[in-house]
Every structure is written in C-alpha cells, then in structure tokens.
Amino acid sequence: MADFHTLVEDMRSTFDTGRSKNIDWRIEQLKGIERMLVENEATFLAALKSDLNKPQQDAYMGEIDFLKNDVISTLRHIKEWTKDQICEKSPLTLLDTVFMHPEPFGTVLVIGAWNFPLHLTLAPVLPAIAAGNCVILKPSEISPATAKAMEDLIPKYVDTKCIKVVCGGVPETTELLKEKFDYIFYTGSTMVGKIVGAAANKHLTPCTLELGGKSPAFVDDSGNLEYKVKRLCWGKFNNSGQICVAPDYVLCSKEVENKMIPIMKKIIKEWYSENPEISKDYCRIVSNRHLDRLQGMLSKTNGNVVVGGRSNPEDKFMEPTVVTGVGMDDSTMKEEIFGPILPIINVESTEEAIKIINARDKPLALYVFTDRENVQEMFKKQTSSGGLVFNDTIMHLSVEELPFGGVGASGMGSYHGKHGFDTFTHMKPVLKKDLGWLGEKINEIRYPPYDDKMLNMIRIATKNRALPDLGWLKTGAVFILGAAVGFAAHNF
C-alpha cells in the first residue's frame, strides 16, 4: 500500500507554493480533462460497458458529455467566479473597502461512486480544480474498469504534482481517511457516509456528503397518465435502478395503480423487448453481491410481483420489476432499493401520502406527478427533500443553476455549476481601511476615554439601517457634466 501520509504532505507542500491558485493553471487543467474525455471516448465507453453494461447513449448523456458540458460551463465562468465580490457597506464603513475574496481550501479528497463511475468521480473534481485546490481522487473499486481507465489516463492530461488518482478498496480508503485534508467530498451510501463524516470530524475537516435514501414518487389521477408512467419508468429502470435519485417507491390510489400497471408492462416491452436480458439498452447490476441483496429483498416481500421478477446471477441481470400490495413494513421498504424493483403503496389522499413521506428520513429527491397546482403547493410547502420535481424524474440534475445535494440523512452540502465552485471555496471576508486623517477622525469615537454624550452618538451611528441608493449620483453627474460642456460650447 502506498505511503498516503507522504502523498498528502507532498501535495500540501505543493499547494503552499501557490501553484494551483494561478487562474491560468486552473484553466489548463480543466482543458486537459476535456481533452482526455474527447480523445479517449472509446476507452471510457468500453469501461462503462464492462462495469455496468451501460448503453452508449447513457454513457454519453450521463457520463462523458455531462462532464464535457461541465468543463465548458466552468471555463466560461471561471474568471468571473474568481473575482473579489464587493459587499454592501454600513455607515461605519462608508470610507472603507469591503469585499469577499474567494480562496481554495487547500488539499481535498474526492471519493467517487460506482453507479456513474466516471461522472460522479470527476464532477466534483472539476469545481475543486476551478476553485484552486489540489485534489486526490479515489474512484470506486466496485467499477474496476472505469477506475483503471481514470488511473491510467488522468496523469497524462493534468499536473500530477497537484492532482493524483489513488485506486484500491476499503483498506486504501480507510488509510486515506486517517490523513488530514482541508475538504472531503464523498458520494455513496448513507452507511459509508457516516464513516466518512466521522473521519472528517476528527480533524474538523469540512465535508460534503452526497448520499441517497428512499426517494418517493406520488402519482394522482390528473393529467396524461401514460406520460407520467414513461417518465417514472425511465427514472426507475435507467441504469437498472442504480441511481441515487431514482424513484424508490410509488404512492398512489388503487384506482391509479390499476391504470398504471398495464401501461408499465407495455412501456417496458417497447423499451427492452419481451426479454430485457437480451436488450442492448438495459444495464446490469454492478456485482453479484449487490444482486444477491436485491434477490433477497424480493424473495421476502409480502407484496405481489406483477411485472418482472426474474434474475440471472451468471449475467448479473435483474429485469424491471413492479410489486403491488406493499405495506410500510415490507422488505422493499426497509432500505434504499438501488435496483430495478419498484414497490407501489396505496394511499387514499394527498394528505396521507405527505404523512408517509414526512414520517421517514428526508429523501434526496421527491417526485410529484400531478397537474393540480394546489397539490404541487402542498408538497412544496409541507415536505422536505434534497430536490423536488413535478411531473418528471432525475432531470433536475441537468440544470446546473440548481444545486444538487441532500438534506438530513440524504446528505449535506451541494454542488453543480457555481454551487460546486462555492463548495470548494472559502469566501474570505476582507475589510480594507485607509490611514487618512478623515477616517481616523471617525475612528476616534471608539477610543477611550468614554463619555455618555459620545455613547449616544455611537449608538445612533451604529444602528443598522439601509443606506440610500446613491446610483442617481452617477446619472446626475453625467447630466451636469453634459450641461456644462453644452453651455461652454455655446458661450465660448
């Protein structure tokens, strides 16, 4: 095993030289990663196929092109994001300069996930680099082909003094977490997230935990039901359900369920044929251990398997599966499913659905399929979740202006777009005062000896009040200058 203490300390020494803080350096690294993605598409496609049987379209849209677009956006905005941010002033700071200076945390650790092994490893690395940090990235060993591809390729395109790849399993991750980092970013299960959080806490290291949980979907009888079911099934069975924000279970009335099941059967057949195992567009479970867990969960259900249910351990295959007649104590409701099993729970009202959701841990995502504005308002105001989507699934992740992250047991912190840059940035508050006589005259009111008259003046001066908008001064000055020039031209 590598000497991780020396590795981290060497990287910290490099960071202290200011190497990674240079804006041109950051841009060069981001462009290097973009070149890597462009020049090695075939390698990454093959790796993703090997690890998850990921279809080419999913590999492009959910992994390779997603990252390319992240780089493009970051390069477009990086010079703006890295500027000092001027702040509003108070009466006591009118003569001063007040701003926030974005500075990197230092040496950061990014621990990737196996379900989108390229995307979920590099997506946090990009803003970490843009913010000026040195980065150690640890891909998941559960997707070994993609991890090996990153280990081999990344050093060819970036500055290895500041960006390093560490591969390995639980022992390597455990040893890495013993080291003191300036920031840790982890994507994965809640159970491991607690371990990462505890390790970070020993060094008071700030961290982002992108976890998961049981993300519910509520479906009512309004709107086009076939459109709803298509979007629901796509979110659930894409990547064989191995998505942290996949809909985990459905809440709907018995009447809606009876209408949905035939549509689900029809759609699954249209997408994946009569036998999804031979479909080139259907993924595989990542490992036999994960398939065993899903098979065990399904074998213990008290519900009725009305769609699918078949699996093949030799091919790490489980077909799209729907289970009805499920209660809250069912085996499918005890933990996050993270696979192609969709339980349906019947509710009599919107209020009952909200009550069920609020009785559980806060989910990473909540999906509400309804055309009724009042129902949308109820879910918006009466529930809490990492993200809320009406009439679709997962697509909120494609909007870089929206932060992505959990709340409560589904995670802490967020990223995507500017939110990712902010995650890896310490906004250092700066107050810059001059040493002129006028400023010092104002300062004298705070120096001893004190007296009651001066105290009253200080209390009036320091009262929190909105300052007038002085933007009109610029307009007025331009008007006066123009009038003066016109008068001079006319009379002289």
Side-chain angles (χ1 to χ4, degrees):
M1 188 181 296
D3 182 355
F4 293 135
H5 181 73
T6 300
L7 173 67
V8 174
E9 288 305 308
D10 286 350
M11 187 165 284
R12 195 181 305 282
S13 297
T14 302
F15 175 79
D16 289 342
T17 67
R19 185 180 187 133
S20 65
K21 295 182 180 181
N22 182 280
I23 302 299
D24 291 335
W25 179 92
R26 305 184 203 186
I27 291 171
E28 183 182 346
Q29 307 315 304
L30 293 169
K31 288 182 175 178
I33 292 176
E34 184 180 28
R35 285 199 314 277
M36 177 189 72
L37 294 168
V38 170
E39 295 172 6
N40 299 278
E41 276 188 1
T43 300
F44 288 123
L45 287 171
L48 293 165
K49 188 74 173 176
S50 174
D51 288 332
L52 291 152
N53 195 46
K54 191 159 284 198
Q56 192 172 92
Q57 178 170 316
D58 290 352
Y60 277 124
M61 302 309 295
E63 306 255 12
I64 297 170
D65 284 1
F66 201 108
L67 289 168
K68 287 181 187 175
N69 286 326
D70 270 0
V71 174
I72 291 168
S73 175
T74 303
L75 289 173
R76 183 187 303 129
H77 297 294
I78 188 170
K79 290 187 177 179
E80 181 65 30
W81 293 348
T82 52
K83 288 180 180 178
D84 291 339
Q85 297 182 13
I86 302 300
C87 301
E88 291 186 9
K89 297 181 180 182
S90 72
L92 290 182
T93 58
L94 277 174
L95 301 180
D96 307 322
T97 304
V98 183
F99 61 95
M100 292 187 294
H101 174 68
E103 66 176 16
F105 279 104
T107 300
V108 307
L109 172 65
V110 174
I111 304 175
W114 56 259
N115 56 326
F116 285 80
L118 185 65
H119 173 184
L120 293 179
T121 303
L122 291 182
V125 170
L126 298 176
I129 293 171
N133 298 282
C134 291
V135 185
I136 294 176
L137 58 139
K138 167 62 179 65
S140 172
E141 73 281 5
I142 298 174
S143 292
T146 309
K148 185 68 167 63
M150 285 189 279
E151 182 182 34
D152 291 344
L153 292 171
I154 289 175
K156 298 178 181 179
Y157 291 88
V158 300
D159 181 353
T160 55
K161 289 284 187 182
C162 300
I163 304 166
K164 291 187 181 293
V165 183
V166 173
C167 281
V170 173
E172 285 78 9
T173 305
T174 302
E175 288 303 309
L176 270 174
L177 288 171
K178 291 179 181 178
E179 299 302 321
K180 185 181 187 307
F181 289 91
D182 299 299
Y183 203 96
I184 297 175
F185 191 108
Y186 167 77
T187 303
S189 70
T190 300
M191 180 183 72
V192 177
K194 292 178 180 178
I195 296 171
V196 173
N201 191 50
K202 288 181 180 178
H203 299 289
L204 295 180
T205 299
C207 63
T208 291
L209 303 177
E210 293 288 349
L211 308 178
K214 296 183 75 66
S215 296
F218 172 77
V219 184
D220 73 5
D221 59 357
S222 66
N224 188 305
L225 188 59
E226 183 165 352
Y227 294 169
K228 292 179 180 180
V229 174
K230 279 185 177 179
R231 297 171 191 184
L232 176 66
C233 287
W234 177 79
K236 180 59 183 180
F237 301 123
N238 184 277
N239 212 46
S240 284
Q242 299 165 115
I243 305 176
C244 59
V245 288
D248 192 273
Y249 63 98
V250 175
L251 298 167
C252 67
S253 68
K254 189 65 178 177
E255 291 74 21
V256 170
E257 177 194 288
N258 289 337
K259 294 177 182 177
M260 282 201 306
I261 299 303
I263 301 174
M264 287 179 167
K265 291 178 178 178
K266 170 177 169 285
I267 288 169
I268 290 170
K269 180 180 176 181
E270 289 176 354
W271 289 354
Y272 306 121
S273 80
E274 290 276 8
N275 181 10
E277 189 170 3
I278 65 172
S279 171
K280 63 181 177 59
D281 298 322
Y282 190 68
C283 286
R284 293 297 181 267
I285 305 305
V286 72
S287 71
N288 288 111
R289 179 172 65 87
H290 287 78
L291 180 59
D292 289 344
R293 181 185 64 83
L294 291 168
Q295 289 174 319
M297 180 186 295
L298 193 59
S299 69
K300 295 174 185 175
T301 182
N302 294 319
N304 306 305
V305 178
V306 295
V307 178
R310 189 176 66 86
S311 57
N312 179 5
E314 292 183 4
D315 196 25
K316 294 184 288 189
F317 166 80
M318 175 175 275
E319 66 182 332
T321 300
V322 181
V323 186
T324 62
V326 170
M328 296 305 296
D329 59 350
D330 192 75
S331 60
T332 59
M333 295 301 294
K334 293 187 183 303
E335 61 177 295
E336 182 180 7
I337 294 172
F338 221 74
I341 301 171
L342 183 63
I344 299 177
I345 297 173
N346 295 141
V347 293
E348 296 299 324
S349 65
T350 301
E351 289 79 6
E352 183 183 357
I354 290 174
K355 185 176 180 180
I356 289 172
I357 293 166
N358 289 341
R360 306 179 69 88
D361 286 335
K362 295 177 181 180
L364 185 55
L366 171 57
Y367 304 113
V368 180
F369 290 88
T370 180
D371 265 355
R372 297 186 174 102
E373 290 286 342
N374 65 313
V375 174
Q376 293 181 6
E377 282 295 304
M378 288 175 68
F379 276 95
K380 185 179 75 173
K381 294 180 178 179
Q382 297 178 28
T383 64
S384 178
S385 56
L388 173 62
V389 179
F390 295 113
N391 298 319
D392 209 339
T393 58
I394 299 179
M395 292 304 294
H396 58 303
L397 273 65
S398 67
V399 185
E400 69 176 34
E401 290 79 13
L402 292 177
F404 172 62
V407 58
S410 60
M412 63 176 72
S414 61
Y415 70 127
H416 284 187
K418 176 64 160 55
H419 306 285
F421 178 86
D422 292 344
T423 287
F424 289 101
T425 299
H426 168 59
M427 297 303 296
K428 180 164 64 180
V430 180
L431 171 63
K432 183 178 178 181
K433 301 181 78 74
D434 68 47
L435 295 173
W437 70 269
L438 179 58
E440 182 59 20
K441 200 66 180 174
I442 295 173
N443 280 333
E444 286 181 358
I445 65 173
R446 60 188 168 125
Y447 300 150
Y450 306 127
D451 65 64
D452 292 340
K453 289 182 180 178
M454 188 60 70
L455 175 59
N456 289 332
M457 185 184 299
I458 293 172
R459 294 185 67 188
I460 292 171
T462 57
K463 183 177 180 179
N464 194 323
R465 55 170 62 86
L467 292 176
D469 182 2
L470 301 180
W472 60 270
L473 285 175
K474 181 179 179 181
T475 303
V478 171
F479 176 79
I480 293 169
L481 179 61
V485 169
F487 178 80
H490 181 74
N491 290 281
F492 297 99

